[in-house]
Amino acid sequence: MERNGTAVLVRDSGSFSHTLKKLWRRNRVAYLFLLPWFAGLLVFTIGPMMTSFYYSLTRFDLMTPPRYIGLQNYLTMFTADPRYIASLKVTITYVLVSVPLKLTIALLIAALMNRGLRGLAFYRTLYYLPTLLGGSVAIAVMWRKIFGNSGVLNQFLADAFGIQAPNWVADPSYALYSIVALSVWQFGSSMIIFLAGLKQIPQDYYEASQVDGARKLRQFFSITLPLLSPVIFFNLVIQLIGSFQSFTQAFIISGGQGGPMDSTLFYTLYLYMKGFGFYEMGYASAMAWVLLVIIGVFTAIIFGTSKYWVHYGDGGK
């Protein structure tokens, strides 16, 4: 019996080897073209990720060799680091406020532009411009000047209405929302995608609904939103992931410290401080892996609920 089993195993192994050789002969040109991409994936993505995971299980200060400590970094994060919990709360608040606001404004502007507006190309470029510039250091510095104590916004409020407004970026109650405003201002990329989706909706549906007496608001909720739901789904996932990774704006506006009183201590900013400010690279690596899990959980929730609200043209969900 054992001899028969060995014979079958050898025969299967030979068959598998023959299949691999056959596949190689048939697709070797494609494999050669894909080789640089696979090499890049291995060297620049998978390799650093595995290294980062190893560091997350160590105490590593960049000066001395890493020392294995198991899950201690992960335990410290959730049990003995109040600043980590604060950064988590700030980031989740930022994501839950900024993403819906940005998508809502992007959709409304796209809907307005889809109504046969003259000079559409000019307005499309105008609204997209902040997206190109929004992630830059210069725009973050400008935003700090606009919302500062003697900035343009406070000058306008004082001159027009006599209101003595607070220093928006230095007040813990408003600092985070000034960064949310900066994020919402960069709605251009989402708007362009929404506009492309709106152009694909057949006008026949609107004409048929008009015959039945449907008003614009009813058309928007009964025709536009359902048919646009795949585009909303795409924009939601992209913006969610991008918002969790926001860094530059918080770094510049808060002076790299997440202040005032940790009100703008974004997750990525605290990760940067731990890794490159306090040289706790093992702890920073653990934070990066937890962030990956958090983004994965939020994305999985969106994918899991999509069958209830995303409608595809072929009837599938």
Side-chain angles (χ1 to χ4, degrees), residues 264-287:
T264 59
L265 185 64
F266 278 40
Y267 195 102
T268 50
L269 177 57
Y270 190 48
L271 189 155
Y272 173 83
M273 291 165 64
K274 280 291 187 183
F276 298 98
F278 305 123
Y279 300 108
E280 297 179 20
M281 196 55 72
Y283 193 86
S285 298
M287 285 184 65

